[in-house]
């Protein structure tokens, strides 16, 4: 540690989010991941996917620390233990996305500021036209709602549709 500078000064204050909270894996896999792997209409024209090769694809991506497995499948948490879920491609996508987020602070999270090109450069350019696009609102919603356990406490993030399914809340 001494070779690295010896530690932090006593007046350093951590950014929002620290502590024992996480983001919801349940909401991520049902709502966020599908937006990150699908083809999005880009403000400058054309389409693109965050999980594409040359962007954030785990194998061939050039997009920094955030990595995605575009082929990750949903994890059935009713039949898979949390320890087994943590070994899946979906969880690796979640962990990478959470690592690009400041838990509880979407406006400080690269997961949202980079695709909006808000105060930070993004090699892929602007992905969301503004913070009111459905995709940006979805990311902001997820990041702004920390949970004490990533595998539970997410039901309030969904609205039942009445036919056994549910929709992802964004407000």
């Amino acid at each position: 540690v001494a070779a690295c500078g010896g530690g932090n000064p006593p007046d350093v204050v951590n950014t929002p989010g620290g502590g024992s909270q996480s983001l919801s894996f349940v909401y991520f896999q049902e709502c966020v991941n599908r937006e990150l792997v699908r083809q999005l209409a880009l403000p400058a024209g054309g389409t693109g996917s965050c999980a594409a090769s040359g962007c954030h694809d785990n194998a061939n991506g050039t997009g920094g620390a955030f990595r995605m497995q575009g082929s990750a499948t949903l994890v059935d948490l009713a039949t898979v233990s949390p320890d087994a879920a943590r070994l899946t491609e979906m969880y690796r996508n979640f962990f990478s996305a959470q690592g690009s987020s400041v838990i509880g602070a979407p406006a400080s999270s690269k997961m949202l500021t980079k695709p909006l090109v808000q105060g930070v450069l993004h090699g892929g350019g602007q992905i969301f036209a503004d913070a009111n696009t459905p995709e940006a609102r979805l990311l902001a919603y997820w990041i702004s709602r920390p949970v004490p356990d990533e595998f539970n406490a997410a039901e309030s993030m969904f609205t039942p549709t009445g036919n056994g399914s549910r929709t992802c809340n964004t407000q």
Side-chain angles (χ1 to χ4, degrees):
V1 174
C4 295
N8 291 316
D11 61 345
V12 170
V13 177
N14 287 327
T15 57
S20 62
Q21 295 191 318
S22 176
L23 295 177
S24 171
F25 174 77
V26 175
Y27 188 85
F28 175 84
Q29 80 164 347
E30 290 186 35
C31 307
V32 175
N33 191 75
R34 71 177 178 208
E35 294 302 317
L36 298 175
V37 299
R38 77 177 181 90
Q39 291 292 313
L40 302 168
L42 303 176
T47 60
S49 167
C50 298
S53 179
C55 292
H56 297 283
D57 172 68
N58 193 51
N60 300 311
T62 59
F66 174 54
R67 295 289 181 207
M68 295 285 305
Q69 283 283 358
S71 61
T73 58
L74 292 176
V75 177
D76 181 359
L77 293 172
T79 61
V80 174
S81 72
D83 287 339
R86 288 185 182 100
L87 299 175
T88 65
E89 290 178 341
M90 182 63 73
Y91 191 85
R92 285 193 289 272
N93 286 357
F94 163 76
F95 192 75
S96 186
Q98 181 173 263
S100 295
S101 303
V102 178
I103 297 172
S108 299
S109 300
K110 288 182 181 179
M111 194 71 209
L112 186 58
T113 59
K114 280 198 165 227
L116 288 167
V117 189
Q118 290 182 334
V120 63
L121 294 176
H122 182 232
Q126 188 174 4
I127 306 301
F128 307 143
D130 59 56
N132 291 315
T133 64
E135 300 85 6
R137 286 195 344 256
L138 185 112
L139 283 172
Y141 183 87
W142 176 61
I143 295 167
S144 68
R145 284 166 177 75
V147 295
D149 177 350
E150 64 208 312
F151 296 111
N152 295 311
E155 288 309 311
S156 65
M157 299 174 82
F158 299 95
T159 300
T161 60
N163 63 0
S165 63
R166 58 191 183 179
T167 60
C168 304
N169 293 340
T170 59
Q171 296 181 8

